[in-house]
Coordinates of all heavy atoms in Angstrom, one line a residue:
T51 N 0.1 -6.2 0.8 CA 0.9 -7.0 0.0 C 0.3 -7.1 -1.4 O -0.8 -6.6 -1.6 CB 1.1 -8.4 0.5 OG1 -0.2 -9.0 0.7 CG2 1.8 -8.3 1.9
A52 N 0.9 -7.7 -2.3 CA 0.4 -7.9 -3.7 C -0.5 -9.1 -3.7 O -0.2 -10.1 -4.4 CB 1.5 -7.9 -4.7
Q53 N -1.7 -9.0 -3.1 CA -2.6 -10.1 -3.1 C -4.0 -9.6 -3.3 O -4.4 -8.6 -2.6 CB -2.6 -10.9 -1.8 CG -1.2 -11.6 -1.5 CD -1.3 -12.3 -0.1 OE1 -2.3 -12.8 0.3 NE2 -0.1 -12.2 0.5
P54 N -4.9 -10.2 -4.1 CA -6.2 -9.7 -4.3 C -7.0 -9.5 -3.0 O -7.8 -8.6 -2.9 CB -6.9 -10.8 -5.2 CG -5.7 -11.4 -5.9 CD -4.6 -11.4 -4.9
S55 N -6.8 -10.3 -2.0 CA -7.5 -10.2 -0.7 C -7.2 -8.9 0.0 O -8.0 -8.5 0.9 CB -7.2 -11.4 0.2 OG -5.8 -11.4 0.5
C56 N -6.2 -8.2 -0.4 CA -5.9 -6.9 0.2 C -6.9 -5.8 -0.1 O -6.9 -4.7 0.5 CB -4.5 -6.4 -0.1 SG -3.2 -7.4 0.7
K57 N -7.8 -6.1 -1.1 CA -8.8 -5.2 -1.4 C -9.7 -4.8 -0.2 O -10.0 -3.7 0.1 CB -9.8 -5.8 -2.5 CG -10.9 -4.9 -2.9 CD -11.8 -5.5 -4.0 CE -12.9 -4.5 -4.3 NZ -14.0 -5.2 -5.0
R58 N -9.9 -5.8 0.6 CA -10.7 -5.6 1.9 C -10.0 -4.7 2.8 O -10.6 -3.9 3.5 CB -11.0 -7.0 2.5 CG -12.0 -6.9 3.6 CD -12.4 -8.2 4.1 NE -11.3 -8.7 5.0 CZ -11.1 -9.9 5.3 NH1 -11.9 -10.9 4.9 NH2 -10.1 -10.2 6.1
I59 N -8.7 -4.8 2.9 CA -7.9 -4.0 3.8 C -8.0 -2.5 3.3 O -8.2 -1.6 4.1 CB -6.4 -4.4 3.8 CG1 -6.3 -5.7 4.5 CG2 -5.5 -3.3 4.5 CD1 -4.9 -6.4 4.4
I60 N -7.9 -2.3 2.0 CA -8.0 -0.9 1.5 C -9.4 -0.4 1.7 O -9.5 0.8 2.2 CB -7.6 -0.9 0.0 CG1 -6.2 -1.4 -0.2 CG2 -7.9 0.5 -0.6 CD1 -5.8 -1.7 -1.7
E61 N -10.4 -1.1 1.5 CA -11.8 -0.7 1.7 C -12.0 -0.3 3.2 O -12.6 0.7 3.5 CB -12.8 -1.7 1.2 CG -12.7 -1.8 -0.3 CD -13.5 -3.0 -0.9 OE1 -13.9 -3.9 -0.1 OE2 -13.9 -2.9 -2.1
N62 N -11.6 -1.2 4.1 CA -11.8 -0.9 5.5 C -11.0 0.3 5.9 O -11.5 1.1 6.7 CB -11.4 -2.1 6.3 CG -12.3 -3.3 6.2 OD1 -13.5 -3.1 5.9 ND2 -11.9 -4.5 6.5
A63 N -9.8 0.5 5.4 CA -9.0 1.6 5.8 C -9.6 2.9 5.2 O -9.6 4.0 5.9 CB -7.6 1.5 5.2
A64 N -10.2 2.8 4.0 CA -10.9 4.0 3.5 C -12.1 4.4 4.3 O -12.3 5.6 4.6 CB -11.3 3.7 2.0
E65 N -12.8 3.4 4.8 CA -14.0 3.7 5.7 C -13.5 4.4 7.0 O -14.1 5.3 7.4 CB -14.7 2.4 6.0 CG -15.5 1.9 4.8 CD -16.2 0.6 5.2 OE1 -16.4 0.3 6.4 OE2 -16.6 -0.2 4.3
M66 N -12.4 3.9 7.5 CA -11.9 4.4 8.7 C -11.4 5.9 8.5 O -11.6 6.8 9.3 CB -10.7 3.6 9.2 CG -10.3 3.9 10.6 SD -8.9 2.8 11.2 CE -9.6 1.2 10.9
A67 N -10.7 6.1 7.4 CA -10.2 7.5 7.1 C -11.4 8.4 6.9 O -11.3 9.5 7.5 CB -9.4 7.4 5.8
D68 N -12.4 8.0 6.3 CA -13.6 8.8 6.1 C -14.2 9.1 7.5 O -14.6 10.3 7.8 CB -14.7 8.2 5.2 CG -14.3 8.2 3.8 OD1 -13.4 8.9 3.4 OD2 -14.9 7.4 3.0
R69 N -14.4 8.1 8.3 CA -15.0 8.3 9.6 C -14.2 9.3 10.5 O -14.8 10.0 11.2 CB -15.0 6.9 10.4 CG -15.8 6.9 11.7 CD -15.9 5.6 12.3 NE -16.2 4.5 11.4 CZ -15.5 3.3 11.3 NH1 -14.5 3.1 12.2 NH2 -15.8 2.4 10.5
Y70 N -12.9 9.2 10.4 CA -12.1 10.1 11.3 C -11.6 11.3 10.6 O -10.8 12.1 11.2 CB -10.9 9.3 11.9 CG -11.4 8.2 12.8 CD1 -11.3 6.9 12.4 CD2 -11.9 8.5 14.1 CE1 -11.7 5.9 13.3 CE2 -12.3 7.5 14.9 CZ -12.3 6.2 14.5 OH -12.7 5.2 15.3
G71 N -12.0 11.6 9.4 CA -11.5 12.8 8.7 C -10.0 12.7 8.4 O -9.4 13.8 8.5
A72 N -9.5 11.6 8.1 CA -8.1 11.4 7.9 C -7.7 11.2 6.5 O -8.6 10.8 5.7 CB -7.6 10.2 8.8
K73 N -6.5 11.4 6.2 CA -5.9 11.1 4.8 C -5.6 9.6 4.8 O -5.1 9.0 5.8 CB -4.7 11.9 4.6 CG -4.0 11.6 3.3 CD -2.7 12.4 3.2 CE -1.9 12.0 2.0 NZ -0.6 12.7 1.9
L74 N -5.9 9.0 3.7 CA -5.6 7.5 3.5 C -4.4 7.4 2.6 O -4.3 8.0 1.5 CB -6.8 6.8 2.9 CG -6.5 5.3 2.5 CD1 -6.1 4.5 3.7 CD2 -7.6 4.7 1.7
C75 N -3.5 6.6 3.1 CA -2.3 6.3 2.3 C -2.2 4.8 2.2 O -2.1 4.1 3.2 CB -1.0 6.9 3.0 SG 0.5 6.5 2.3
V76 N -2.2 4.3 1.0 CA -2.0 2.8 0.8 C -0.6 2.6 0.3 O -0.2 3.2 -0.7 CB -3.1 2.3 -0.3 CG1 -2.9 0.8 -0.4 CG2 -4.5 2.7 0.2
V77 N 0.1 1.7 0.9 CA 1.5 1.5 0.6 C 1.9 0.1 0.7 O 1.3 -0.7 1.4 CB 2.4 2.4 1.6 CG1 2.3 2.0 3.0 CG2 3.9 2.4 1.1
T78 N 2.8 -0.3 -0.2 CA 3.4 -1.7 -0.2 C 4.9 -1.6 -0.3 O 5.4 -0.7 -0.9 CB 2.8 -2.5 -1.3 OG1 3.3 -3.9 -1.2 CG2 3.2 -2.0 -2.7
A79 N 5.5 -2.5 0.4 CA 7.0 -2.7 0.3 C 7.3 -3.9 -0.5 O 6.9 -5.0 -0.2 CB 7.6 -2.7 1.6
Q80 N 8.1 -3.7 -1.6 CA 8.5 -4.8 -2.5 C 10.0 -4.9 -2.4 O 10.7 -4.0 -2.2 CB 8.0 -4.5 -3.9 CG 6.5 -4.4 -4.1 CD 5.9 -5.7 -4.0 OE1 6.3 -6.7 -4.6 NE2 4.8 -5.8 -3.2
P81 N 10.5 -6.2 -2.6 CA 12.0 -6.3 -2.6 C 12.6 -5.6 -3.7 O 12.1 -5.5 -4.8 CB 12.2 -7.9 -2.7 CG 10.9 -8.4 -3.1 CD 9.8 -7.4 -2.8
K82 N 13.9 -5.1 -3.4 CA 14.6 -4.4 -4.5 C 14.9 -5.3 -5.7 O 14.8 -4.9 -6.8 CB 15.9 -3.8 -3.9 CG 15.7 -2.6 -3.0 CD 17.1 -2.1 -2.6 CE 16.9 -0.9 -1.7 NZ 18.3 -0.4 -1.3
K83 N 15.3 -6.5 -5.4 CA 15.6 -7.4 -6.5 C 14.6 -8.6 -6.4 O 14.3 -9.1 -5.4 CB 17.0 -8.0 -6.3 CG 18.1 -7.0 -6.5 CD 19.5 -7.7 -6.4 CE 20.6 -6.6 -6.6 NZ 21.9 -7.2 -6.6
Q84 N 14.0 -8.8 -7.6 CA 13.0 -9.8 -7.7 C 12.9 -10.4 -9.1 O 13.2 -9.6 -10.1 CB 11.6 -9.3 -7.3 CG 10.5 -10.3 -7.2 CD 9.2 -9.6 -6.7 OE1 8.9 -8.5 -7.0 NE2 8.4 -10.4 -6.0
N85 N 12.6 -11.6 -9.2 CA 12.5 -12.2 -10.6 C 11.5 -11.4 -11.4 O 10.5 -11.0 -10.9 CB 12.0 -13.7 -10.3 CG 11.6 -14.4 -11.6 OD1 10.5 -14.0 -12.2 ND2 12.4 -15.3 -12.0
A86 N 11.8 -11.2 -12.6 CA 11.0 -10.3 -13.5 C 9.5 -10.8 -13.6 O 8.6 -10.0 -13.6 CB 11.6 -10.2 -14.9
K87 N 9.3 -12.1 -13.7 CA 7.9 -12.6 -13.7 C 7.2 -12.4 -12.5 O 6.0 -12.0 -12.5 CB 7.9 -14.1 -14.1 CG 8.3 -14.5 -15.5 CD 8.2 -15.9 -15.8 CE 8.6 -16.2 -17.2 NZ 8.4 -17.7 -17.5
L88 N 7.8 -12.6 -11.3 CA 7.2 -12.3 -10.0 C 6.9 -10.8 -9.9 O 5.8 -10.4 -9.4 CB 8.0 -12.8 -8.9 CG 8.2 -14.3 -8.8 CD1 9.2 -14.6 -7.6 CD2 6.9 -15.0 -8.6
R89 N 7.8 -10.0 -10.3 CA 7.6 -8.5 -10.2 C 6.4 -8.1 -11.0 O 5.6 -7.3 -10.6 CB 8.9 -7.8 -10.6 CG 8.7 -6.3 -10.8 CD 9.0 -5.5 -9.5 NE 10.4 -5.5 -9.2 CZ 10.8 -5.5 -7.9 NH1 9.9 -5.4 -6.9 NH2 12.1 -5.5 -7.6
A90 N 6.4 -8.6 -12.3 CA 5.3 -8.3 -13.2 C 3.9 -8.7 -12.6 O 2.9 -8.0 -12.6 CB 5.5 -8.9 -14.5
R91 N 3.9 -10.0 -12.0 CA 2.7 -10.5 -11.4 C 2.2 -9.6 -10.3 O 1.1 -9.2 -10.2 CB 2.9 -11.9 -10.9 CG 1.7 -12.5 -10.2 CD 2.0 -13.6 -9.3 NE 2.8 -13.0 -8.2 CZ 3.5 -13.7 -7.3 NH1 3.7 -15.0 -7.5 NH2 4.2 -13.2 -6.4
D92 N 3.2 -9.2 -9.4 CA 2.9 -8.3 -8.3 C 2.4 -7.0 -8.7 O 1.4 -6.4 -8.2 CB 4.1 -8.2 -7.3 CG 4.4 -9.4 -6.5 OD1 3.6 -10.4 -6.6 OD2 5.4 -9.4 -5.9
M93 N 3.0 -6.4 -9.7 CA 2.6 -5.1 -10.2 C 1.2 -5.1 -10.9 O 0.4 -4.2 -10.7 CB 3.6 -4.5 -11.2 CG 5.0 -4.1 -10.6 SD 4.8 -3.0 -9.2 CE 5.2 -4.0 -7.8
R94 N 0.9 -6.2 -11.6 CA -0.5 -6.4 -12.1 C -1.5 -6.4 -11.0 O -2.5 -5.8 -11.1 CB -0.5 -7.6 -13.0 CG -0.1 -7.4 -14.4 CD -0.4 -8.6 -15.3 NE 0.1 -9.9 -14.9 CZ 1.3 -10.4 -15.1 NH1 2.1 -9.7 -15.8 NH2 1.6 -11.5 -14.6
C95 N -1.2 -7.2 -10.0 CA -2.1 -7.3 -8.8 C -2.3 -5.9 -8.2 O -3.5 -5.5 -7.9 CB -1.6 -8.3 -7.8 SG -2.6 -8.5 -6.4
L96 N -1.2 -5.2 -7.9 CA -1.4 -3.9 -7.3 C -2.1 -2.9 -8.2 O -2.9 -2.1 -7.7 CB 0.0 -3.4 -6.9 CG 0.8 -4.1 -5.9 CD1 2.2 -3.7 -5.8 CD2 0.1 -4.0 -4.5
D97 N -1.9 -3.0 -9.5 CA -2.6 -2.1 -10.4 C -4.1 -2.5 -10.4 O -4.9 -1.6 -10.4 CB -2.0 -2.3 -11.8 CG -2.7 -1.3 -12.8 OD1 -2.6 -0.1 -12.6 OD2 -3.2 -1.8 -13.8
D98 N -4.4 -3.8 -10.4 CA -5.8 -4.2 -10.3 C -6.5 -3.7 -9.0 O -7.6 -3.2 -9.0 CB -6.0 -5.7 -10.3 CG -5.7 -6.3 -11.7 OD1 -5.6 -5.5 -12.7 OD2 -5.5 -7.5 -11.8
L99 N -5.7 -3.8 -7.9 CA -6.3 -3.3 -6.6 C -6.5 -1.8 -6.6 O -7.5 -1.3 -6.1 CB -5.3 -3.6 -5.5 CG -5.3 -5.1 -5.0 CD1 -4.1 -5.3 -4.1 CD2 -6.6 -5.4 -4.3
S100 N -5.6 -1.1 -7.2 CA -5.8 0.4 -7.4 C -7.0 0.7 -8.2 O -7.8 1.6 -7.8 CB -4.5 1.0 -8.0 OG -4.6 2.4 -8.2
H101 N -7.2 0.1 -9.3 CA -8.4 0.3 -10.1 C -9.7 -0.1 -9.4 O -10.7 0.6 -9.5 CB -8.2 -0.4 -11.5 CG -7.3 0.3 -12.4 ND1 -6.0 0.0 -12.4 CD2 -7.5 1.3 -13.3 CE1 -5.4 0.8 -13.3 NE2 -6.3 1.6 -13.9
Q102 N -9.7 -1.2 -8.7 CA -10.9 -1.7 -8.1 C -11.3 -0.8 -6.9 O -12.5 -0.7 -6.7 CB -10.7 -3.1 -7.5 CG -10.5 -4.2 -8.6 CD -10.1 -5.5 -8.0 OE1 -10.1 -5.7 -6.8 NE2 -9.7 -6.4 -8.9
T103 N -10.3 -0.2 -6.2 CA -10.7 0.6 -5.0 C -10.6 2.1 -5.3 O -11.1 2.9 -4.5 CB -9.7 0.3 -3.9 OG1 -8.4 0.6 -4.3 CG2 -9.7 -1.2 -3.5
G104 N -10.1 2.5 -6.5 CA -10.0 3.9 -6.8 C -9.0 4.6 -5.9 O -9.0 5.8 -5.7
R105 N -8.0 3.9 -5.4 CA -7.0 4.4 -4.6 C -5.6 4.3 -5.2 O -5.3 3.2 -5.8 CB -7.0 3.7 -3.2 CG -8.3 3.8 -2.5 CD -8.6 5.2 -2.0 NE -9.9 5.2 -1.4 CZ -10.3 6.2 -0.7 NH1 -9.5 7.3 -0.5 NH2 -11.5 6.3 -0.2
E106 N -4.8 5.3 -5.0 CA -3.4 5.2 -5.4 C -2.6 4.3 -4.4 O -2.8 4.4 -3.2 CB -2.8 6.6 -5.4 CG -1.4 6.7 -5.9 CD -0.9 8.1 -6.0 OE1 -1.6 9.0 -6.5 OE2 0.3 8.3 -5.4
I107 N -1.7 3.5 -5.0 CA -0.9 2.7 -4.1 C 0.6 3.1 -4.3 O 1.1 3.0 -5.4 CB -1.1 1.2 -4.4 CG1 -2.6 0.8 -4.2 CG2 -0.1 0.3 -3.6 CD1 -2.9 -0.6 -4.6
T108 N 1.2 3.4 -3.2 CA 2.6 3.8 -3.3 C 3.4 2.5 -3.1 O 3.2 1.7 -2.2 CB 3.0 4.8 -2.2 OG1 2.2 5.9 -2.3 CG2 4.5 5.1 -2.2
V109 N 4.4 2.3 -4.0 CA 5.3 1.1 -3.9 C 6.7 1.6 -3.5 O 7.2 2.5 -4.0 CB 5.4 0.4 -5.3 CG1 6.3 -0.8 -5.2 CG2 4.0 0.0 -5.8
I110 N 7.1 1.0 -2.4 CA 8.5 1.2 -1.9 C 9.3 0.0 -2.2 O 8.9 -1.1 -1.8 CB 8.4 1.5 -0.3 CG1 7.6 2.7 0.0 CG2 9.9 1.6 0.2 CD1 7.4 2.9 1.5
Y111 N 10.5 0.2 -2.8 CA 11.4 -0.9 -3.0 C 12.4 -0.9 -1.9 O 13.2 0.0 -1.8 CB 12.0 -0.8 -4.4 CG 11.0 -0.9 -5.5 CD1 10.5 0.3 -6.1 CD2 10.5 -2.1 -5.9 CE1 9.5 0.2 -7.1 CE2 9.5 -2.2 -6.9 CZ 9.0 -1.1 -7.5 OH 8.1 -1.1 -8.4
S112 N 12.4 -2.0 -1.2 CA 13.3 -2.1 0.0 C 13.6 -3.5 0.4 O 12.7 -4.4 0.3 CB 12.7 -1.4 1.2 OG 13.4 -1.5 2.3
D113 N 14.8 -3.8 0.9 CA 15.1 -5.1 1.4 C 14.9 -5.1 3.0 O 15.1 -6.1 3.6 CB 16.5 -5.5 1.1 CG 16.7 -5.7 -0.4 OD1 15.7 -6.2 -1.0 OD2 17.7 -5.4 -1.0
D114 N 14.5 -4.0 3.5 CA 14.1 -3.9 4.9 C 12.8 -3.2 5.0 O 12.7 -2.0 5.4 CB 15.2 -3.1 5.7 CG 15.1 -3.2 7.2 OD1 14.0 -3.8 7.7 OD2 16.0 -2.8 7.9
P115 N 11.7 -3.9 4.7 CA 10.4 -3.3 4.6 C 9.9 -2.6 5.9 O 9.3 -1.5 5.8 CB 9.4 -4.4 4.2 CG 10.2 -5.7 4.4 CD 11.6 -5.3 4.4

Side-chain angles (χ1 to χ4, degrees):
T51 57
Q53 297 179 37
S55 60
C56 289
K57 179 181 178 194
R58 193 174 75 199
I59 293 170
I60 297 169
E61 290 170 343
N62 289 338
E65 288 177 20
M66 194 179 304
D68 288 344
R69 186 177 320 131
Y70 294 108
K73 176 183 172 184
L74 174 62
C75 175
V76 182
V77 63
T78 184
Q80 297 289 312
K82 285 184 179 180
K83 292 184 180 181
Q84 187 177 30
N85 172 288
K87 285 184 181 182
L88 293 176
R89 172 88 69 214
R91 181 203 63 200
D92 288 352
M93 292 303 108
R94 277 192 304 274
C95 179
L96 293 167
D97 187 58
D98 288 346
L99 285 169
S100 178
H101 282 90
Q102 291 171 12
T103 61
R105 302 293 175 163
E106 182 178 313
I107 299 173
T108 300
V109 180
I110 298 172
Y111 295 99
S112 173
D113 292 326
D114 194 348

